[in-house]
Amino acid sequence: MTADQLEAPTGQASHEELRNQFVHARFEALAEWGIPTADALAIAKATGVDIREAVELLRRDCPSDLVLGILG
């Protein structure tokens, strides 16, 4: 799921708040998988990138900027 697929119900959190929550959840998942903080943050913010695919590449020693170039 990407941030664009999330919609706020009327009177609820704004689009920006939902995006921030989405990015935070992605960051936490990446951190739990042992991804270094800087890499996890960069990939979490790239909401169009599938984090499962990113983790597979990172675990094969692919640098995060290259991961983003490949998947982004």
Short mmCIF file of all heavy atoms in Angstrom, two decimals:
data_model
loop_
_atom_site.label_atom_id
_atom_site.label_comp_id
_atom_site.label_asym_id
_atom_site.label_seq_id
_atom_site.Cartn_x
_atom_site.Cartn_y
_atom_site.Cartn_z
N MET A 1 0.85 -1.17 0.00
CA MET A 1 0.00 0.00 0.00
C MET A 1 0.90 1.23 0.00
O MET A 1 1.90 1.27 0.67
CB MET A 1 -0.90 -0.02 1.24
CG MET A 1 -1.75 1.21 1.37
SD MET A 1 -2.85 1.18 2.80
CE MET A 1 -4.07 0.06 2.21
N THR A 2 0.52 2.22 -0.74
CA THR A 2 1.26 3.47 -0.78
C THR A 2 0.49 4.55 -0.02
O THR A 2 -0.69 4.39 0.27
CB THR A 2 1.50 3.94 -2.22
OG1 THR A 2 0.25 4.27 -2.80
CG2 THR A 2 2.22 2.89 -3.04
N ALA A 3 1.16 5.65 0.28
CA ALA A 3 0.52 6.74 1.00
C ALA A 3 -0.66 7.31 0.23
O ALA A 3 -1.64 7.75 0.81
CB ALA A 3 1.53 7.84 1.30
N ASP A 4 -0.58 7.29 -1.09
CA ASP A 4 -1.66 7.83 -1.93
C ASP A 4 -2.94 7.00 -1.82
O ASP A 4 -4.02 7.48 -2.12
CB ASP A 4 -1.23 7.91 -3.39
CG ASP A 4 -0.14 8.95 -3.59
OD1 ASP A 4 -0.05 9.88 -2.76
OD2 ASP A 4 0.60 8.82 -4.56
N GLN A 5 -2.81 5.74 -1.42
CA GLN A 5 -3.97 4.87 -1.31
C GLN A 5 -4.72 5.09 0.00
O GLN A 5 -5.83 4.61 0.16
CB GLN A 5 -3.55 3.41 -1.42
CG GLN A 5 -3.05 3.05 -2.81
CD GLN A 5 -2.42 1.69 -2.86
OE1 GLN A 5 -1.62 1.33 -2.02
NE2 GLN A 5 -2.80 0.92 -3.86
N LEU A 6 -4.11 5.80 0.94
CA LEU A 6 -4.76 6.09 2.20
C LEU A 6 -5.63 7.32 2.07
O LEU A 6 -5.19 8.34 1.54
CB LEU A 6 -3.72 6.33 3.31
CG LEU A 6 -2.85 5.15 3.68
CD1 LEU A 6 -1.79 5.60 4.67
CD2 LEU A 6 -3.68 4.04 4.27
N GLU A 7 -6.83 7.25 2.54
CA GLU A 7 -7.71 8.41 2.52
C GLU A 7 -8.24 8.64 3.92
O GLU A 7 -8.60 7.70 4.61
CB GLU A 7 -8.87 8.21 1.55
CG GLU A 7 -8.44 8.22 0.11
CD GLU A 7 -9.61 8.19 -0.84
OE1 GLU A 7 -10.69 8.69 -0.47
OE2 GLU A 7 -9.45 7.66 -1.95
N ALA A 8 -8.30 9.89 4.33
CA ALA A 8 -8.81 10.22 5.65
C ALA A 8 -10.32 10.35 5.60
O ALA A 8 -10.86 11.03 4.73
CB ALA A 8 -8.20 11.54 6.13
N PRO A 9 -11.01 9.68 6.53
CA PRO A 9 -12.46 9.91 6.62
C PRO A 9 -12.72 11.37 6.97
O PRO A 9 -11.88 12.01 7.60
CB PRO A 9 -12.90 8.99 7.75
CG PRO A 9 -11.79 8.01 7.93
CD PRO A 9 -10.55 8.71 7.47
N THR A 10 -13.86 11.90 6.56
CA THR A 10 -14.19 13.28 6.84
C THR A 10 -14.11 13.55 8.34
O THR A 10 -14.61 12.79 9.13
CB THR A 10 -15.62 13.60 6.32
OG1 THR A 10 -15.67 13.24 4.95
CG2 THR A 10 -15.95 15.06 6.49
N GLY A 11 -13.46 14.65 8.71
CA GLY A 11 -13.34 15.03 10.10
C GLY A 11 -12.24 14.30 10.84
O GLY A 11 -12.07 14.49 12.03
N GLN A 12 -11.49 13.47 10.16
CA GLN A 12 -10.41 12.72 10.79
C GLN A 12 -9.07 13.36 10.44
O GLN A 12 -9.00 14.51 10.08
CB GLN A 12 -10.46 11.26 10.32
CG GLN A 12 -11.73 10.53 10.73
CD GLN A 12 -11.84 10.36 12.23
OE1 GLN A 12 -10.86 10.11 12.91
NE2 GLN A 12 -13.02 10.53 12.76
N ALA A 13 -8.02 12.56 10.56
CA ALA A 13 -6.66 13.04 10.30
C ALA A 13 -6.53 13.56 8.87
O ALA A 13 -7.15 13.04 7.95
CB ALA A 13 -5.67 11.91 10.54
N SER A 14 -5.68 14.56 8.72
CA SER A 14 -5.42 15.12 7.39
C SER A 14 -4.57 14.16 6.57
O SER A 14 -3.99 13.21 7.09
CB SER A 14 -4.69 16.45 7.52
OG SER A 14 -3.35 16.24 7.95
N HIS A 15 -4.51 14.43 5.29
CA HIS A 15 -3.69 13.61 4.39
C HIS A 15 -2.23 13.61 4.86
O HIS A 15 -1.57 12.57 4.86
CB HIS A 15 -3.79 14.14 2.95
CG HIS A 15 -2.96 13.40 1.98
ND1 HIS A 15 -3.29 12.14 1.54
CD2 HIS A 15 -1.79 13.73 1.37
CE1 HIS A 15 -2.35 11.72 0.70
NE2 HIS A 15 -1.44 12.67 0.58
N GLU A 16 -1.73 14.76 5.26
CA GLU A 16 -0.34 14.87 5.72
C GLU A 16 -0.12 14.06 7.00
O GLU A 16 0.91 13.39 7.15
CB GLU A 16 0.03 16.34 5.95
CG GLU A 16 1.49 16.55 6.29
CD GLU A 16 2.45 16.13 5.18
OE1 GLU A 16 2.06 16.14 4.01
OE2 GLU A 16 3.60 15.80 5.51
N GLU A 17 -1.07 14.10 7.91
CA GLU A 17 -0.94 13.31 9.15
C GLU A 17 -0.94 11.81 8.84
O GLU A 17 -0.14 11.06 9.41
CB GLU A 17 -2.08 13.64 10.12
CG GLU A 17 -1.98 15.01 10.72
CD GLU A 17 -3.25 15.41 11.47
OE1 GLU A 17 -4.35 15.00 11.08
OE2 GLU A 17 -3.11 16.15 12.46
N LEU A 18 -1.80 11.40 7.93
CA LEU A 18 -1.83 9.98 7.54
C LEU A 18 -0.54 9.58 6.85
O LEU A 18 -0.01 8.48 7.10
CB LEU A 18 -3.02 9.70 6.62
CG LEU A 18 -4.39 9.68 7.30
CD1 LEU A 18 -5.48 9.51 6.27
CD2 LEU A 18 -4.45 8.57 8.32
N ARG A 19 -0.02 10.45 6.01
CA ARG A 19 1.24 10.15 5.34
C ARG A 19 2.36 10.00 6.36
O ARG A 19 3.17 9.08 6.28
CB ARG A 19 1.60 11.23 4.33
CG ARG A 19 2.85 10.89 3.54
CD ARG A 19 3.28 11.99 2.57
NE ARG A 19 4.37 11.56 1.72
CZ ARG A 19 5.62 11.37 2.14
NH1 ARG A 19 5.94 11.55 3.40
NH2 ARG A 19 6.56 10.98 1.30
N ASN A 20 2.40 10.90 7.34
CA ASN A 20 3.43 10.82 8.39
C ASN A 20 3.32 9.52 9.17
O ASN A 20 4.34 8.89 9.49
CB ASN A 20 3.34 12.02 9.32
CG ASN A 20 3.80 13.30 8.67
OD1 ASN A 20 4.51 13.29 7.67
ND2 ASN A 20 3.38 14.43 9.22
N GLN A 21 2.11 9.10 9.49
CA GLN A 21 1.90 7.85 10.21
C GLN A 21 2.36 6.67 9.35
O GLN A 21 2.96 5.72 9.85
CB GLN A 21 0.43 7.67 10.58
CG GLN A 21 -0.04 8.63 11.65
CD GLN A 21 -1.54 8.58 11.86
OE1 GLN A 21 -2.23 7.76 11.27
NE2 GLN A 21 -2.04 9.48 12.69
N PHE A 22 2.06 6.73 8.06
CA PHE A 22 2.44 5.68 7.13
C PHE A 22 3.97 5.58 7.04
O PHE A 22 4.54 4.49 7.13
CB PHE A 22 1.83 5.98 5.76
CG PHE A 22 2.11 4.96 4.70
CD1 PHE A 22 1.56 3.69 4.77
CD2 PHE A 22 2.91 5.28 3.61
CE1 PHE A 22 1.82 2.75 3.78
CE2 PHE A 22 3.16 4.35 2.62
CZ PHE A 22 2.62 3.08 2.71
N VAL A 23 4.63 6.71 6.89
CA VAL A 23 6.09 6.74 6.81
C VAL A 23 6.70 6.22 8.11
O VAL A 23 7.65 5.43 8.10
CB VAL A 23 6.61 8.16 6.47
CG1 VAL A 23 8.12 8.26 6.66
CG2 VAL A 23 6.22 8.53 5.05
N HIS A 24 6.14 6.62 9.23
CA HIS A 24 6.63 6.16 10.53
C HIS A 24 6.50 4.64 10.67
O HIS A 24 7.43 3.98 11.13
CB HIS A 24 5.87 6.87 11.66
CG HIS A 24 6.35 6.51 13.02
ND1 HIS A 24 7.52 7.00 13.55
CD2 HIS A 24 5.84 5.68 13.96
CE1 HIS A 24 7.70 6.49 14.75
NE2 HIS A 24 6.70 5.68 15.02
N ALA A 25 5.38 4.10 10.26
CA ALA A 25 5.16 2.66 10.33
C ALA A 25 6.16 1.93 9.42
O ALA A 25 6.71 0.88 9.79
CB ALA A 25 3.74 2.31 9.95
N ARG A 26 6.40 2.46 8.23
CA ARG A 26 7.38 1.86 7.32
C ARG A 26 8.78 1.91 7.94
O ARG A 26 9.52 0.93 7.90
CB ARG A 26 7.37 2.61 5.98
CG ARG A 26 6.16 2.32 5.13
CD ARG A 26 6.03 3.28 3.94
NE ARG A 26 7.19 3.35 3.09
CZ ARG A 26 7.40 2.57 2.03
NH1 ARG A 26 6.50 1.66 1.69
NH2 ARG A 26 8.47 2.72 1.28
N PHE A 27 9.12 3.05 8.54
CA PHE A 27 10.43 3.19 9.18
C PHE A 27 10.59 2.16 10.29
O PHE A 27 11.63 1.50 10.39
CB PHE A 27 10.61 4.61 9.72
CG PHE A 27 11.86 4.75 10.54
CD1 PHE A 27 13.09 4.89 9.91
CD2 PHE A 27 11.80 4.72 11.92
CE1 PHE A 27 14.25 5.00 10.66
CE2 PHE A 27 12.96 4.83 12.67
CZ PHE A 27 14.19 4.97 12.05
N GLU A 28 9.58 2.02 11.13
CA GLU A 28 9.65 1.05 12.23
C GLU A 28 9.83 -0.37 11.71
O GLU A 28 10.61 -1.15 12.27
CB GLU A 28 8.42 1.14 13.11
CG GLU A 28 8.41 2.38 13.99
CD GLU A 28 7.23 2.41 14.93
OE1 GLU A 28 6.28 1.62 14.77
OE2 GLU A 28 7.27 3.24 15.86
N ALA A 29 9.11 -0.72 10.65
CA ALA A 29 9.23 -2.06 10.08
C ALA A 29 10.65 -2.28 9.55
O ALA A 29 11.25 -3.33 9.79
CB ALA A 29 8.21 -2.25 8.97
N LEU A 30 11.18 -1.31 8.85
CA LEU A 30 12.53 -1.42 8.32
C LEU A 30 13.55 -1.53 9.45
O LEU A 30 14.49 -2.34 9.37
CB LEU A 30 12.85 -0.23 7.41
CG LEU A 30 12.11 -0.23 6.08
CD1 LEU A 30 12.11 1.17 5.47
CD2 LEU A 30 12.73 -1.23 5.12
N ALA A 31 13.38 -0.75 10.50
CA ALA A 31 14.29 -0.80 11.64
C ALA A 31 14.22 -2.17 12.33
O ALA A 31 15.25 -2.72 12.72
CB ALA A 31 13.97 0.31 12.63
N GLU A 32 13.02 -2.72 12.45
CA GLU A 32 12.86 -4.05 13.05
C GLU A 32 13.56 -5.12 12.22
O GLU A 32 14.02 -6.13 12.77
CB GLU A 32 11.39 -4.40 13.21
CG GLU A 32 10.72 -3.67 14.34
CD GLU A 32 9.24 -3.99 14.46
OE1 GLU A 32 8.78 -4.99 13.86
OE2 GLU A 32 8.54 -3.25 15.17
N TRP A 33 13.64 -4.92 10.91
CA TRP A 33 14.33 -5.87 10.04
C TRP A 33 15.84 -5.66 10.06
O TRP A 33 16.58 -6.30 9.33
CB TRP A 33 13.81 -5.77 8.61
CG TRP A 33 12.47 -6.38 8.41
CD1 TRP A 33 11.96 -7.47 9.06
CD2 TRP A 33 11.47 -5.97 7.49
NE1 TRP A 33 10.69 -7.74 8.62
CE2 TRP A 33 10.37 -6.84 7.64
CE3 TRP A 33 11.39 -4.95 6.56
CZ2 TRP A 33 9.22 -6.72 6.89
CZ3 TRP A 33 10.24 -4.83 5.81
CH2 TRP A 33 9.16 -5.71 5.98
N GLY A 34 16.31 -4.72 10.89
CA GLY A 34 17.74 -4.50 11.05
C GLY A 34 18.36 -3.59 10.02
O GLY A 34 19.58 -3.55 9.89
N ILE A 35 17.55 -2.83 9.33
CA ILE A 35 18.07 -1.89 8.32
C ILE A 35 18.65 -0.68 9.05
O ILE A 35 18.01 -0.13 9.95
CB ILE A 35 16.95 -1.46 7.35
CG1 ILE A 35 16.29 -2.69 6.70
CG2 ILE A 35 17.48 -0.50 6.30
CD1 ILE A 35 17.22 -3.64 6.02
N PRO A 36 19.86 -0.23 8.70
CA PRO A 36 20.45 0.94 9.35
C PRO A 36 19.52 2.15 9.28
O PRO A 36 18.78 2.34 8.31
CB PRO A 36 21.73 1.19 8.56
CG PRO A 36 22.07 -0.15 7.98
CD PRO A 36 20.75 -0.80 7.68
N THR A 37 19.57 2.98 10.31
CA THR A 37 18.65 4.11 10.46
C THR A 37 18.57 5.01 9.23
O THR A 37 17.48 5.33 8.77
CB THR A 37 19.04 4.94 11.69
OG1 THR A 37 19.02 4.09 12.84
CG2 THR A 37 18.07 6.09 11.91
N ALA A 38 19.70 5.44 8.70
CA ALA A 38 19.69 6.35 7.54
C ALA A 38 19.02 5.69 6.34
O ALA A 38 18.22 6.32 5.64
CB ALA A 38 21.10 6.79 7.20
N ASP A 39 19.33 4.42 6.10
CA ASP A 39 18.72 3.70 4.98
C ASP A 39 17.22 3.52 5.22
O ASP A 39 16.42 3.71 4.31
CB ASP A 39 19.36 2.31 4.81
CG ASP A 39 20.80 2.37 4.36
OD1 ASP A 39 21.22 3.43 3.85
OD2 ASP A 39 21.51 1.37 4.53
N ALA A 40 16.86 3.16 6.45
CA ALA A 40 15.45 2.95 6.78
C ALA A 40 14.65 4.23 6.58
O ALA A 40 13.54 4.19 6.03
CB ALA A 40 15.31 2.46 8.22
N LEU A 41 15.20 5.36 6.99
CA LEU A 41 14.49 6.63 6.84
C LEU A 41 14.32 7.00 5.37
O LEU A 41 13.22 7.39 4.95
CB LEU A 41 15.22 7.73 7.58
CG LEU A 41 14.54 9.08 7.64
CD1 LEU A 41 13.14 8.97 8.24
CD2 LEU A 41 15.37 10.07 8.44
N ALA A 42 15.37 6.85 4.58
CA ALA A 42 15.29 7.20 3.16
C ALA A 42 14.25 6.34 2.44
O ALA A 42 13.44 6.84 1.66
CB ALA A 42 16.66 7.03 2.50
N ILE A 43 14.24 5.06 2.74
CA ILE A 43 13.31 4.15 2.07
C ILE A 43 11.90 4.35 2.60
O ILE A 43 10.94 4.30 1.83
CB ILE A 43 13.80 2.70 2.21
CG1 ILE A 43 15.09 2.55 1.39
CG2 ILE A 43 12.73 1.71 1.77
CD1 ILE A 43 15.85 1.29 1.65
N ALA A 44 11.75 4.60 3.88
CA ALA A 44 10.41 4.84 4.45
C ALA A 44 9.76 6.05 3.80
O ALA A 44 8.55 6.04 3.54
CB ALA A 44 10.51 5.03 5.96
N LYS A 45 10.54 7.08 3.52
CA LYS A 45 10.01 8.30 2.91
C LYS A 45 9.65 8.11 1.44
O LYS A 45 8.83 8.85 0.90
CB LYS A 45 11.01 9.45 3.05
CG LYS A 45 11.14 9.96 4.46
CD LYS A 45 12.14 11.08 4.53
CE LYS A 45 12.23 11.69 5.91
NZ LYS A 45 13.20 12.80 5.97
N ALA A 46 10.25 7.13 0.79
CA ALA A 46 9.95 6.83 -0.61
C ALA A 46 8.74 5.90 -0.64
O ALA A 46 8.86 4.69 -0.81
CB ALA A 46 11.16 6.19 -1.28
N THR A 47 7.56 6.47 -0.44
CA THR A 47 6.35 5.68 -0.21
C THR A 47 5.91 4.83 -1.39
O THR A 47 5.09 3.94 -1.23
CB THR A 47 5.19 6.58 0.24
OG1 THR A 47 4.96 7.57 -0.75
CG2 THR A 47 5.50 7.23 1.58
N GLY A 48 6.47 5.07 -2.56
CA GLY A 48 6.13 4.24 -3.71
C GLY A 48 6.98 2.98 -3.80
O GLY A 48 6.75 2.13 -4.65
N VAL A 49 7.96 2.86 -2.91
CA VAL A 49 8.88 1.72 -2.91
C VAL A 49 8.33 0.63 -1.99
O VAL A 49 7.95 0.89 -0.85
CB VAL A 49 10.28 2.17 -2.44
CG1 VAL A 49 11.20 0.98 -2.20
CG2 VAL A 49 10.89 3.12 -3.44
N ASP A 50 8.31 -0.59 -2.51
CA ASP A 50 7.88 -1.75 -1.71
C ASP A 50 9.01 -2.08 -0.73
O ASP A 50 10.12 -2.42 -1.15
CB ASP A 50 7.61 -2.94 -2.63
CG ASP A 50 7.07 -4.14 -1.89
OD1 ASP A 50 7.61 -4.48 -0.81
OD2 ASP A 50 6.14 -4.77 -2.40
N ILE A 51 8.73 -1.96 0.57
CA ILE A 51 9.79 -2.15 1.55
C ILE A 51 10.28 -3.60 1.61
O ILE A 51 11.42 -3.84 1.97
CB ILE A 51 9.42 -1.62 2.94
CG1 ILE A 51 8.21 -2.32 3.54
CG2 ILE A 51 9.22 -0.12 2.91
CD1 ILE A 51 7.92 -1.92 4.98
N ARG A 52 9.45 -4.55 1.25
CA ARG A 52 9.92 -5.95 1.24
C ARG A 52 10.98 -6.13 0.17
O ARG A 52 11.99 -6.81 0.40
CB ARG A 52 8.75 -6.90 1.02
CG ARG A 52 7.75 -6.89 2.19
CD ARG A 52 6.50 -7.62 1.83
NE ARG A 52 5.90 -6.90 0.69
CZ ARG A 52 4.81 -7.26 0.08
NH1 ARG A 52 4.17 -8.34 0.45
NH2 ARG A 52 4.32 -6.55 -0.92
N GLU A 53 10.76 -5.56 -0.99
CA GLU A 53 11.76 -5.64 -2.06
C GLU A 53 13.02 -4.88 -1.66
O GLU A 53 14.14 -5.33 -1.94
CB GLU A 53 11.20 -5.08 -3.36
CG GLU A 53 10.10 -5.93 -3.96
CD GLU A 53 9.50 -5.32 -5.21
OE1 GLU A 53 9.96 -4.25 -5.65
OE2 GLU A 53 8.58 -5.93 -5.76
N ALA A 54 12.85 -3.74 -1.01
CA ALA A 54 14.00 -2.95 -0.57
C ALA A 54 14.84 -3.73 0.43
O ALA A 54 16.08 -3.74 0.34
CB ALA A 54 13.52 -1.63 0.05
N VAL A 55 14.20 -4.40 1.36
CA VAL A 55 14.93 -5.18 2.37
C VAL A 55 15.74 -6.29 1.70
O VAL A 55 16.90 -6.53 2.05
CB VAL A 55 13.96 -5.75 3.43
CG1 VAL A 55 14.64 -6.80 4.29
CG2 VAL A 55 13.41 -4.63 4.29
N GLU A 56 15.14 -6.95 0.73
CA GLU A 56 15.86 -8.02 0.02
C GLU A 56 17.13 -7.47 -0.63
O GLU A 56 18.20 -8.09 -0.56
CB GLU A 56 14.97 -8.68 -1.03
CG GLU A 56 13.90 -9.56 -0.44
CD GLU A 56 14.46 -10.69 0.41
OE1 GLU A 56 15.45 -11.33 0.00
OE2 GLU A 56 13.91 -10.93 1.49
N LEU A 57 17.03 -6.32 -1.27
CA LEU A 57 18.21 -5.73 -1.91
C LEU A 57 19.24 -5.27 -0.88
O LEU A 57 20.44 -5.50 -1.05
CB LEU A 57 17.79 -4.56 -2.81
CG LEU A 57 17.03 -4.94 -4.07
CD1 LEU A 57 16.48 -3.69 -4.75
CD2 LEU A 57 17.91 -5.73 -5.02
N LEU A 58 18.78 -4.65 0.19
CA LEU A 58 19.69 -4.18 1.23
C LEU A 58 20.42 -5.35 1.88
O LEU A 58 21.61 -5.26 2.19
CB LEU A 58 18.93 -3.38 2.29
CG LEU A 58 18.43 -2.02 1.83
CD1 LEU A 58 17.42 -1.46 2.82
CD2 LEU A 58 19.59 -1.05 1.65
N ARG A 59 19.73 -6.44 2.08
CA ARG A 59 20.36 -7.62 2.69
C ARG A 59 21.39 -8.26 1.76
O ARG A 59 22.21 -9.05 2.20
CB ARG A 59 19.30 -8.62 3.10
CG ARG A 59 18.54 -8.15 4.32
CD ARG A 59 17.63 -9.19 4.87
NE ARG A 59 17.06 -8.72 6.13
CZ ARG A 59 15.99 -9.23 6.68
NH1 ARG A 59 15.36 -10.23 6.12
NH2 ARG A 59 15.54 -8.75 7.83
N ARG A 60 21.33 -7.91 0.49
CA ARG A 60 22.34 -8.38 -0.47
C ARG A 60 23.42 -7.32 -0.66
O ARG A 60 24.12 -7.30 -1.67
CB ARG A 60 21.67 -8.71 -1.80
CG ARG A 60 20.75 -9.90 -1.68
CD ARG A 60 20.13 -10.25 -3.00
NE ARG A 60 19.29 -11.42 -2.84
CZ ARG A 60 18.22 -11.66 -3.54
NH1 ARG A 60 17.85 -10.82 -4.49
NH2 ARG A 60 17.51 -12.74 -3.33
N ASP A 61 23.52 -6.41 0.32
CA ASP A 61 24.54 -5.35 0.35
C ASP A 61 24.41 -4.31 -0.75
O ASP A 61 25.38 -3.66 -1.12
CB ASP A 61 25.95 -5.95 0.34
CG ASP A 61 26.22 -6.77 1.59
OD1 ASP A 61 25.73 -6.37 2.67
OD2 ASP A 61 26.90 -7.80 1.49
N CYS A 62 23.21 -4.11 -1.24
CA CYS A 62 22.95 -3.05 -2.21
C CYS A 62 22.80 -1.74 -1.42
O CYS A 62 22.02 -1.68 -0.47
CB CYS A 62 21.67 -3.37 -2.98
SG CYS A 62 21.32 -2.24 -4.33
N PRO A 63 23.53 -0.68 -1.77
CA PRO A 63 23.41 0.60 -1.06
C PRO A 63 22.00 1.19 -1.20
O PRO A 63 21.34 0.99 -2.23
CB PRO A 63 24.43 1.50 -1.75
CG PRO A 63 25.28 0.62 -2.58
CD PRO A 63 24.51 -0.62 -2.85
N SER A 64 21.55 1.89 -0.17
CA SER A 64 20.18 2.41 -0.16
C SER A 64 19.88 3.33 -1.33
O SER A 64 18.79 3.31 -1.87
CB SER A 64 19.85 3.10 1.16
OG SER A 64 20.67 4.23 1.36
N ASP A 65 20.86 4.16 -1.72
CA ASP A 65 20.60 5.06 -2.85
C ASP A 65 20.39 4.27 -4.15
O ASP A 65 19.56 4.64 -4.98
CB ASP A 65 21.70 6.11 -3.02
CG ASP A 65 23.09 5.52 -3.22
OD1 ASP A 65 23.32 4.36 -2.82
OD2 ASP A 65 23.94 6.23 -3.77
N LEU A 66 21.08 3.15 -4.29
CA LEU A 66 20.90 2.30 -5.46
C LEU A 66 19.56 1.57 -5.37
O LEU A 66 18.85 1.42 -6.38
CB LEU A 66 22.04 1.30 -5.59
CG LEU A 66 22.05 0.43 -6.84
CD1 LEU A 66 21.99 1.29 -8.10
CD2 LEU A 66 23.29 -0.44 -6.85
N VAL A 67 19.18 1.15 -4.16
CA VAL A 67 17.87 0.51 -3.95
C VAL A 67 16.77 1.45 -4.40
O VAL A 67 15.87 1.07 -5.14
CB VAL A 67 17.67 0.11 -2.48
CG1 VAL A 67 16.23 -0.30 -2.21
CG2 VAL A 67 18.61 -1.03 -2.09
N LEU A 68 16.87 2.70 -3.99
CA LEU A 68 15.86 3.70 -4.36
C LEU A 68 15.87 3.94 -5.87
O LEU A 68 14.82 4.14 -6.48
CB LEU A 68 16.06 5.00 -3.59
CG LEU A 68 15.79 4.90 -2.10
CD1 LEU A 68 16.20 6.18 -1.40
CD2 LEU A 68 14.33 4.58 -1.84
N GLY A 69 17.04 3.91 -6.48
CA GLY A 69 17.14 4.07 -7.92
C GLY A 69 16.52 2.91 -8.67
O GLY A 69 15.88 3.09 -9.71
N ILE A 70 16.68 1.72 -8.14
CA ILE A 70 16.13 0.53 -8.78
C ILE A 70 14.61 0.45 -8.60
O ILE A 70 13.88 0.20 -9.55
CB ILE A 70 16.78 -0.75 -8.20
CG1 ILE A 70 18.25 -0.82 -8.60
CG2 ILE A 70 16.03 -2.00 -8.66
CD1 ILE A 70 19.05 -1.88 -7.85
N LEU A 71 14.16 0.67 -7.37
CA LEU A 71 12.74 0.48 -7.05
C LEU A 71 11.90 1.73 -7.18
O LEU A 71 10.68 1.66 -7.25
CB LEU A 71 12.59 -0.09 -5.63
CG LEU A 71 13.26 -1.44 -5.37
CD1 LEU A 71 13.11 -1.81 -3.91
CD2 LEU A 71 12.69 -2.51 -6.28
N GLY A 72 12.55 2.89 -7.16
CA GLY A 72 11.82 4.15 -7.16
C GLY A 72 11.42 4.60 -8.45
O GLY A 72 10.85 4.51 -9.35
#
